[in-house]
Amino acid sequence: MSTNQIKTNYPALYTLITVFFFWGFIAAGNSIFIPFCKSYFSLDQFQSQLVDFAFYTAYYIGALLLFALGDLSGKDIVGKWGYKKSIVYGLLFSALGAGAMIVAVEASVYAGMLVGLFIVALGFSLQQTAANPFAILLGDPKTGASRVNLGGGINSFGTTIGPIVVALALFGTAASVSDEQIKALELNKVVLLYVGVGLLFVAAAALFWLSKKVPSGIANEPMEKANKALRTLVVMTVLLAIMFTPVFLSYKSEEALKIESLTKEKDNLINVELKESNIDKDIIYHEIASKQSEIKSLQEPLEKYRMYWLSGALFVVVGGILFSYTSSKKKSEGWGAMQYPQLVLGMLAIFTYVGVEVAIGSNLGELLKLKEFGSLQSSEIAPYISMYWGSLMIGRWAGAISVFNLQGIKKTLALIIVPLIAFGIILSVNILSGKDMKPLYYYVICVIVQIVAFFLSKDKPARTLTIFGMFGVIAMLIGLFSTGTVAIYAFLAGGLACSIMWPSIFSLSIIGLGKYTSQGSAFLVMMILGGGIIPPIQGKLSDIIGIHQSYIVAVVCFAYLTLFAILVKGLLKKQNIDVDAIEVEGSH
């Protein structure tokens, strides 16, 4: 059968794209879950960001385990099991995680919830490793990118409605729930949410397993050895554990317990001052100020201590990847795909991209609580979180237009109309769920700026990444140096900037790897780890300098992504690779 006669297996494809939806739904829902947990469990910003740490670190651990098993056995484990079985195993593992979440929620144990999310994401890691190549396998390889992009579009739809559904589960239909009222909420709706999610995972697994139209997708390809790369990644993982352990332990230290005790005493004094009218207010004010001063004197050195260790974790990742590359330049044997500079810089780019994408959304809830950003309660932020993650959908839908081979005026019209339709869908979904979207109507101006950026990009990945990286830097700087609606729109526009980065980075990183392409893809998936490291670092920086100022982290991330686009273009030219001819593939 010739290539152009291969028909797309649509029943299998429609079954497959359900898993893309799950990834987006849960990941974006976490952005609502984080501020909720902060209020419910009385956490600081770093502790609340451990939701991301648990979720995205699981992607890294899962990908690393698959790579280690493959390197030791000499065969691609997912290919050996078959893509169908791998996705079924991944879905069942995620269902197990949903079960763990239910137990933890019933017991009101935050650490247990983190374990549940970790297990859910471990299952996602296996699903994601299998789903992208499986989508390409389900039809003509020439149209593989369009099937992957369809999955990406469904994934983005999941990110748009995830925050709305999670907000309804947590807060019901109440217009506003104060952070004090959150502490008194019953978590039975969260249990129901994860019962539903768990059952959906099991149902999707059954659908895959029982469907005769879904092929097994077995691919017995040998795996290229990279024992030195594996050893380095294992050492990096151990060092990361060493860096995070003192931070976790510091929350049970003598100083932390003293701060907790003083904070309770201060809160009690504030309650007395508010409720009692026949007391000497000056004495109460003096005692409150004294407690606050003592808390500050204990907190400042403790927060700096934690920040040093977290900075060490960032150094471990950056240093480990750069060490791999410099060592492989001296002797490439045993380093596999890491001997290619475009891949090493791309690993850092994926780490940075996922980190900034998640950090902007996850810290947004805390930012919107500030007086200059509207003094919103955790129950009121869902439309903004939905619009942020929806911004990724707007960009991805626009980015998918190129796979339909439209020419001339048709392509021009599609590039203008599709993003506006996506924007309309986000507004409509939120309005139908009872949310007030009036404050976000003028966000269409940011969408129009993105449309202009697409026209300037001309479907060239290096150029696209440069333009959107600069778009991200400018948007974050506007957000940093302004407040109110302008700043909110600027930070939300970070989603528009991130929207097309994954496929651009992926394509630029794996081009020219030859037999190491599959291995290079696995290394890039591992770097989803950025979503587990960068948000907690921003969270801790926020505890020290304030949530608004902490968005300097996003500026630095977008600056590196712009630099990567410029550097990789030069590197590929030296390898005689035509950068402008690279086709954008991949989905996140």
Side-chain angles (χ1 to χ4, degrees), residues 63-336:
L64 180 60
L65 286 171
L66 288 171
F67 171 62
L69 289 169
D71 194 71
L72 294 170
S73 67
K75 286 201 171 179
D76 176 12
I77 297 298
V78 171
K80 187 180 174 184
W81 290 342
Y83 298 134
K84 179 178 177 177
K85 267 189 187 175
S86 297
I87 289 170
V88 170
Y89 294 157
L91 284 163
L92 292 176
F93 214 83
S94 293
L96 183 68
M101 274 292 285
I102 291 163
V103 173
V105 170
E106 287 281 20
S108 281
V109 178
Y110 181 57
M113 293 183 188
L114 298 180
V115 170
L117 277 171
F118 181 86
I119 298 169
V120 168
L122 265 183
F124 283 2
S125 178
L126 180 53
Q127 293 164 41
Q128 187 147 330
T129 304
N132 285 336
F134 200 23
I136 293 166
L137 192 75
L138 294 176
D140 188 337
K142 288 181 181 176
T143 57
S146 64
R147 289 189 291 279
V148 172
N149 274 309
L150 174 63
I154 298 299
N155 172 277
S156 295
F157 185 64
T159 65
T160 303
I161 70 165
I164 301 167
V165 174
V166 173
L168 284 170
L170 292 172
F171 309 114
T173 54
S176 179
V177 179
S178 73
D179 288 349
E180 283 306 311
Q181 288 173 311
I182 284 174
K183 292 179 182 180
L185 285 176
E186 293 290 326
L187 293 183
N188 55 332
K189 286 182 181 173
V190 181
V191 171
L192 289 173
L193 173 69
Y194 273 92
V195 166
V197 167
L199 289 173
L200 284 171
F201 287 144
V202 173
L207 194 64
F208 263 91
W209 188 255
L210 298 173
S211 175
K212 297 283 188 278
K213 295 191 175 179
V214 178
S216 61
I218 292 171
N220 279 317
E221 290 184 15
M223 194 163 176
E224 297 298 331
K225 286 281 184 182
N227 55 313
K228 289 178 184 174
L230 175 60
R231 201 178 311 135
T232 304
L233 287 164
V234 170
V235 170
M236 273 172 58
T237 308
V238 172
L239 287 174
L240 282 172
I242 290 169
M243 293 296 167
F244 271 93
T245 300
V247 182
F248 296 148
L249 292 177
S250 73
Y251 281 91
K252 294 295 179 187
S253 67
E254 193 178 319
E255 293 87 348
L257 295 173
K258 180 70 173 169
I259 290 167
E260 194 178 324
S261 171
L262 286 166
T263 304
K264 283 179 182 174
E265 289 173 23
K266 185 192 78 171
D267 291 344
N268 289 336
L269 285 167
I270 292 169
N271 287 332
V272 168
E273 188 261 326
L274 290 171
K275 290 175 184 175
E276 303 290 338
S277 57
N278 57 343
I279 56 167
D280 190 330
K281 300 271 184 177
D282 289 338
I283 293 173
I284 294 291
Y285 288 151
H286 178 73
E287 285 190 43
I288 291 171
S290 174
K291 300 285 182 196
Q292 187 59 47
S293 176
E294 199 175 343
I295 289 168
K296 191 177 179 183
S297 66
L298 288 167
Q299 209 160 27
E300 281 185 359
L302 186 60
E303 296 293 19
K304 284 178 183 175
Y305 168 81
R306 290 165 177 165
M307 195 67 208
Y308 289 143
W309 283 106
L310 289 170
S311 300
L314 189 62
F315 178 78
V316 165
V317 176
V318 176
I321 294 171
L322 294 179
F323 164 77
S324 303
Y325 173 60
T326 52
S327 300
S328 67
K329 276 189 87 173
K330 294 171 189 170
K331 191 178 181 183
S332 63
E333 188 184 339
W335 285 104

Side-chain angles (χ1 to χ4, degrees), residues 336-372:
M338 280 192 184
Q339 65 191 272
Y340 293 91
Q342 62 266 38
L343 179 79
V344 177
L345 291 174
M347 286 171 72
L348 278 177
I350 290 286
F351 177 86
T352 306
Y353 151 71
V354 178
V356 72
E357 176 188 281
V358 175
I360 293 170
S362 296
N363 286 287
L364 199 58
E366 189 63 17
L367 183 80
L368 294 170
K369 289 180 184 178
L370 296 180
K371 187 180 178 182
E372 57 269 35

Side-chain angles (χ1 to χ4, degrees), residues 338-508:
M338 280 192 184
Q339 65 191 272
Y340 293 91
Q342 62 266 38
L343 179 79
V344 177
L345 291 174
M347 286 171 72
L348 278 177
I350 290 286
F351 177 86
T352 306
Y353 151 71
V354 178
V356 72
E357 176 188 281
V358 175
I360 293 170
S362 296
N363 286 287
L364 199 58
E366 189 63 17
L367 183 80
L368 294 170
K369 289 180 184 178
L370 296 180
K371 187 180 178 182
E372 57 269 35
F373 284 87
S375 302
L376 299 183
Q377 302 292 342
S378 297
S379 60
E380 298 172 310
I381 65 170
Y384 296 89
I385 301 295
S386 177
M387 185 58 76
Y388 171 72
W389 289 103
S391 294
L392 288 132
M393 181 176 87
I394 293 168
R396 285 171 185 167
W397 283 17
I401 290 167
S402 59
V403 303
F404 296 105
N405 295 318
L406 298 175
Q407 300 297 327
I409 191 70
K410 287 183 181 177
K411 185 172 183 179
T412 301
L413 285 171
L415 270 174
I416 294 168
I417 294 166
V418 169
L420 295 174
I421 289 172
F423 177 66
I425 288 170
I426 299 160
L427 289 178
S428 303
V429 168
N430 277 278
I431 290 166
L432 287 171
S433 71
K435 305 296 180 188
D436 178 18
M437 297 303 284
K438 289 188 187 75
L440 290 167
Y441 285 168
Y442 291 105
Y443 184 65
V444 72
I445 294 166
C446 298
V447 177
I448 290 166
V449 172
Q450 190 204 40
I451 291 169
V452 173
F454 269 113
F455 278 109
L456 294 172
S457 299
K458 298 179 180 176
D459 287 337
K460 296 173 181 177
R463 187 185 174 102
T464 299
L465 196 55
T466 305
I467 290 168
F468 277 79
M470 289 168 65
F471 178 22
V473 170
I474 293 165
M476 294 305 104
L477 286 172
I478 291 170
L480 269 175
F481 291 104
S482 60
T483 55
T485 303
V486 171
I488 291 169
Y489 281 14
F491 288 132
L492 292 178
L496 296 171
C498 286
S499 60
I500 49 71
M501 285 188 170
W502 174 279
S504 296
I505 297 166
F506 216 93
S507 301
L508 291 165

Side-chain angles (χ1 to χ4, degrees), residues 33-70:
F33 205 52
I34 285 166
F36 170 83
C37 286
K38 183 177 181 181
S39 297
Y40 190 85
F41 293 104
S42 301
L43 309 172
D44 67 18
Q45 191 63 8
F46 165 77
Q47 288 172 303
S48 71
Q49 294 298 317
L50 293 179
V51 167
D52 283 334
F53 174 78
F55 191 77
Y56 290 97
T57 304
Y59 270 95
Y60 168 71
I61 297 294
L64 180 60
L65 286 171
L66 288 171
F67 171 62
L69 289 169

